[in-house]
Amino acid sequence: MNKPFYITTPIYYINGVPHIGHAYTTIAADCLSRYKRSRGFDVYFLTGTDEHGQKVLKAAQDKGLSPIEFADSILPSFKEAWGKLLITYDDFIRTTEKRHIDTVQYFLQALYDKGDLYLGEYEGLYCVPCEVFWTEKQVENDLCPDCKRPVEKIKESNYFFKISAYRDWLLDYIKENPGFVRPESRRNEVLGFLQEGGLNDLCVSRPRSRLSWGIPLPFSPDHVTYVWFDALVNYLSALGFPKEKERFEKFWPVCVHLIGKDILRQHAVLWPIMLHALGIDPPRMVFAHGWWQVGQEKMSKSLGNVVDPLDVIDEFGIDVFRYFLLREVPFGADGVFSKDALTKRFNGDLANDLGNLVYRTLTMAEKYFDSKVPALDRPALDDIGRNKILPKIDELGAKVDSAMERFDFIGALDAIWGLIGAANKYVEETKPWNLKKENRDRELENFIALLIEAIRCVAKEITPFMPQTSEKILAQVGLEVVKKGEPLFPRIEKEK
Ligand code: MSP
């Protein structure tokens, strides 16, 4: 049986259309999924939308729609964007689906039966017009940080989850399982947070009279579930938990959550505690990536600098966008998005390196051999071919494996580009036009056969990153007769 691999993205709030931050996690998850499938894994790739809570309700009210009408109206923009970005998800979950609501209610009831939920008084500073609670620290002069109107101290009765009781367990768990929170800097952040002090019990309900848009608590229908508690459970509801035992047992132990660093605590503190309280092991890994910014600024709607992934792909192409996001910054670090940087990668890595290798090789094959690929005669290769190119071809798969195991996309791409660079250098050093002049046809044949072998190998390994380009190249070099076609990445002359 194939080994299972379960990978998730956060479920995105449906109060706005997808932006580059959403695209980033989703592309990274897609790249890992495609890579694992290429290595024979049985992959379950989950994404979806987070549809309950205040933010969605408010966005719906602003449009004069019911929350579900509103969610239904935004949903296609996510599905279309993921279609255009060639995202091969296996499941798309919406938190308004019955399968999810059932699992959340099961979860709550089980925690309640176990005695981990208790009724208490929730007290906080509340802005009535914004319908938002603020902490003492956030509020200055009793004014709402958003609308600057006075906040009120309000009290309401709510259910609390005894997460404080699990702090020591979690601390030990994270210490004993160094691979659970990744990268290391994020692991240290979580350890620091847990070591700093106790955890407060978490309020996991809202009175329905104040917030109507949520999943009712099964044991107290006058309360709805806190949106984060609701959202995290999606990773289990998609597996059909608790009913579909077999699927759960197959995929849960190999689950990897990809998230942005801003939602680390929910995933690395609250979520493992929720699971542990019910006797379920934490997921295998929570990997938090960094943030994309524009210039020195954070991307935000109010600054008007949000990058729309669809604009970028219209201008540069899908694969170029995917390649850029995964090549430009180490996965885990922050990055700066700019068209200049994209153009540089395009002209350098894609046009000069990859595109050039394919085009010049196929041009030679056409010119010298009428596009018929000669058979590769390994023992007859020249020194460079035998010592520098062939080993790189033979070792590429293993090098990509070792990088991808660490979610080191740059490492994998560097290995692939190592072969591309060596092959381009091989052309420059061999000077095939001289071989032709000197009638050394056997050598010339073998030289081209090796280059084509290198290109095939590159095309296979870039599939997870650039599926369209890979397909195009394989269509050009996959058969005994190659097809030259147009350059894959015609240089962009003006820096944008
Ligand atoms: N709904 C919650 C997640 C629940 S998961 C059980 C949520 N949604 S979100 O739509 O606001 O954000 C989803 C992800 O997008 C987060 O991981 C966040 O880090 C990521 N990004 C949002 N803006 C980003 C950038 N500018 N750069 C990179 N990722 C960022 O949070």
Side-chain angles (χ1 to χ4, degrees):
M1 221 177 61
N2 291 344
K3 276 205 209 162
F5 180 67
Y6 181 26
I7 186 153
T8 69
T9 72
I11 45 172
Y12 305 112
Y13 285 127
I14 202 148
N15 57 340
V17 296
H19 59 66
I20 186 179
H22 306 138
Y24 185 44
T25 330
T26 313
I27 288 172
D30 184 64
C31 180
L32 287 164
S33 296
R34 286 174 181 264
Y35 160 72
K36 287 284 185 183
R37 286 189 204 111
S38 80
R39 300 303 198 251
F41 280 74
D42 184 357
V43 173
Y44 198 69
F45 168 14
L46 173 71
T47 189
T49 41
D50 195 350
E51 306 193 354
H52 288 126
Q54 193 68 49
K55 285 189 202 179
V56 177
L57 182 62
K58 199 144 181 42
Q61 283 165 346
D62 290 347
K63 285 253 158 88
L65 295 173
S66 73
I68 193 68
E69 283 168 345
F70 174 75
D72 286 345
S73 76
I74 301 286
L75 186 70
S77 61
F78 277 91
K79 293 209 164 162
E80 275 161 29
W82 300 162
K84 284 204 174 141
L85 287 166
L86 308 175
I87 305 300
T88 54
Y89 57 79
D90 297 293
D91 194 356
F92 189 108
I93 192 159
R94 303 179 61 182
T95 54
T96 45
E97 285 172 57
K98 182 173 184 307
R99 59 171 171 161
H100 175 70
I101 295 170
D102 287 350
T103 305
V104 171
Q105 291 191 325
Y106 169 89
F107 218 103
L108 286 161
Q109 187 68 51
L111 284 183
Y112 183 67
D113 293 345
K114 193 174 168 258
D116 272 353
L117 299 183
Y118 62 90
L119 195 59
E121 284 286 326
Y122 185 80
E123 205 181 52
L125 298 168
Y126 189 66
C127 174
V128 180
C130 294
E131 302 178 51
V132 173
F133 270 104
W134 299 102
T135 62
E136 298 273 353
K137 271 194 205 150
Q138 290 168 314
V139 170
E140 263 177 59
N141 305 326
D142 292 333
L143 297 178
C144 166
D146 264 1
C147 73
K148 310 291 176 209
R149 282 176 281 202
V151 291
E152 284 173 30
K153 203 167 219 160
I154 67 167
K155 256 193 197 174
E156 53 187 38
S157 74
N158 266 317
Y159 283 86
F160 286 79
F161 175 31
K162 285 186 187 165
I163 62 172
S164 55
Y166 295 99
R167 171 181 164 264
D168 293 349
W169 164 78
L170 184 60
L171 202 49
D172 289 345
Y173 184 86
I174 295 177
K175 282 185 187 156
E176 282 160 21
N177 293 276
F180 172 49
V181 184
R182 298 270 85 203
E184 193 62 14
S185 54
R186 299 293 159 217
R187 175 169 179 258
N188 291 335
E189 184 183 320
V190 177
L191 283 173
F193 166 72
L194 288 171
Q195 272 154 349
E196 241 165 53
L199 282 177
N200 294 327
D201 286 351
L202 182 75
C203 179
V204 294
S205 72
R206 303 291 182 257
R208 196 202 268 281
S209 53
R210 181 167 66 71
L211 174 62
S212 56
W213 185 232
I215 301 178
L217 303 190
F219 45 85
S220 175
D222 289 342
H223 288 96
V224 300
T225 314
Y226 167 49
V227 70
W228 265 104
F229 191 101
D230 165 346
L232 288 161
V233 173
N234 92 86
Y235 303 128
L236 283 185
S237 20
L239 292 182
F241 179 84
K243 284 187 201 131
E244 293 178 50
K245 236 177 144 232
E246 214 175 291
R247 204 142 68 100
F248 167 74
E249 280 168 6
K250 175 174 171 187
F251 287 110
W252 186 249
V254 291
C255 177
V256 171
H257 296 319
L258 294 190
I259 58 164
K261 64 181 184 181
D262 54 316
I263 54 175
L264 179 65
R265 281 196 198 168
Q266 288 88 343
H267 283 81
V269 178
L270 173 57
W271 181 224
I273 289 180
M274 284 166 65
L275 291 161
H276 182 70
L278 282 197
I280 304 171
D281 284 337
R284 192 174 72 185
M285 188 193 291
V286 172
F287 192 109
H289 64 66
W291 269 58
W292 284 98
Q293 51 179 46
V294 174
Q296 295 307 311
E297 315 261 21
K298 213 178 132 170
M299 229 176 274
S300 84
K301 270 193 202 157
S302 51
L303 289 171
N305 62 358
V306 176
V307 178
D308 179 344
L310 299 184
D311 289 347
V312 184
I313 65 176
D314 278 348
E315 198 170 338
F316 289 88
I318 293 155
D319 279 9
V320 179
F321 181 55
R322 290 175 61 114
Y323 175 80
F324 176 80
L325 292 181
L326 298 175
R327 176 62 189 81
E328 190 68 5
V329 294
F331 199 53
D334 293 337
V336 177
F337 186 87
S338 78
K339 288 194 175 173
D340 260 359
L342 233 158
T343 306
K344 280 206 182 91
R345 288 266 166 221
F346 184 97
N347 282 341
D349 307 1
L350 301 179
N352 284 359
D353 299 344
L354 175 59
N356 185 25
L357 175 65
V358 174
Y359 194 71
R360 75 200 319 189
T361 304
L362 297 187
T363 304
M364 288 187 283
E366 185 183 71
K367 192 163 153 197
Y368 301 137
F369 305 109
D370 211 11
S371 294
K372 291 191 195 75
V373 187
L376 177 63
D377 181 357
R378 290 185 169 224
L381 280 170
D382 61 10
D383 283 354
I384 305 181
R386 191 171 41 247
N387 300 327
K388 299 230 168 101
I389 309 296
L390 205 51
K392 281 208 158 65
I393 294 178
D394 291 342
E395 288 159 13
L396 186 60
K399 281 195 186 154
V400 168
D401 286 346
S402 104
M404 291 299 267
E405 284 313 312
R406 289 174 278 119
F407 295 9
D408 174 8
F409 299 113
I410 296 187
L413 290 168
D414 274 349
I416 303 171
W417 257 254
L419 174 57
I420 296 173
N424 273 323
K425 206 164 154 220
Y426 187 35
V427 178
E428 279 132 38
E429 289 174 352
T430 308
K431 303 195 176 55
W433 45 94
N434 286 344
L435 295 181
K436 186 66 198 169
K437 254 191 254 157
E438 294 161 17
N439 290 324
R440 290 153 69 188
D441 279 12
R442 275 301 297 142
E443 279 169 66
L444 185 59
E445 264 184 16
N446 222 14
F447 161 78
I448 291 188
L450 185 61
L451 289 177
I452 289 187
E453 192 58 30
I455 292 172
R456 284 186 184 137
C457 175
V458 164
K460 276 188 204 138
E461 294 299 340
I462 60 169
T463 314
F465 299 88
M466 297 197 281
Q468 260 183 356
T469 306
S470 161
E471 207 176 295
K472 265 195 215 161
I473 301 177
L474 287 172
Q476 287 177 291
V477 299
L479 300 172
E480 276 162 27
V481 178
V482 297
K483 288 184 229 122
K484 191 170 91 180
E486 297 297 312
L488 290 167
F489 303 103
R491 274 185 72 87
I492 299 171
E493 289 311 334
K494 242 178 48 212
E495 303 269 297
K496 299 193 190 212

